[in-house]
Amino acid sequence: MKLTPAQTKAMPLLVSGLKQKEIADKVGVTPQTISTWMKNPKFVAYLNQARTDALDSARDLLRGLAFEAVEELRSIILNSESDEVKRKAIMDVLEMIGIKNPSQGLYGWGIGPKTPQGVAQKWEQESGPQLYALLGS
């Protein structure tokens, strides 16, 4: 599936979390059009890939802070009079990138499959074969 110009324009807006009505206004389509796109496994697979890419970028930014956070935490541990608020913020960053607790880190956040077949299969599992039959293959 090749995205239309409107779908291509809508993709980063959907990833950013804007409401469908706002996106429709910015893209020049109706909210119903966006709802229709969201029922297309191929479009949702593209969207899931875009969301994964955005999450990967966010992870890279957080990873860039890891060294500084560890160094600051080390300094607090060695020199602290009691920077509890600062320490808590640092621990939050470390937890977010998965150093403190890998099972709780930013490792996917349930975005979903990145192929049309995977999206359709997930939908079939969640909603039963009736929905998949309505959507077609």
Side-chain angles (χ1 to χ4, degrees), residues 88-108:
K88 171 78 172 92
I90 292 166
M91 293 306 293
D92 287 348
V93 169
L94 294 174
E95 187 170 351
M96 281 187 266
I97 63 168
I99 289 175
K100 180 178 174 196
N101 187 353
S103 66
Q104 301 289 315
L106 300 176
Y107 289 104

Side-chain angles (χ1 to χ4, degrees), residues 62-102:
L62 286 172
R63 283 186 188 113
L65 294 174
F67 182 78
E68 287 83 4
V70 170
E71 284 297 313
E72 187 66 29
L73 184 57
R74 180 179 179 273
S75 175
I76 289 170
I77 290 169
L78 295 175
N79 307 314
S80 174
E81 293 178 18
S82 180
D83 281 329
E84 182 58 29
V85 171
K86 197 171 185 182
R87 186 201 66 79
K88 171 78 172 92
I90 292 166
M91 293 306 293
D92 287 348
V93 169
L94 294 174
E95 187 170 351
M96 281 187 266
I97 63 168
I99 289 175
K100 180 178 174 196
N101 187 353

Side-chain angles (χ1 to χ4, degrees), residues 25-42:
D25 291 343
K26 289 178 185 272
V27 173
V29 298
T30 66
Q32 292 78 13
T33 298
I34 294 178
S35 292
T36 300
W37 295 344
M38 297 302 292
K39 293 175 186 168
N40 180 325
K42 292 177 183 177

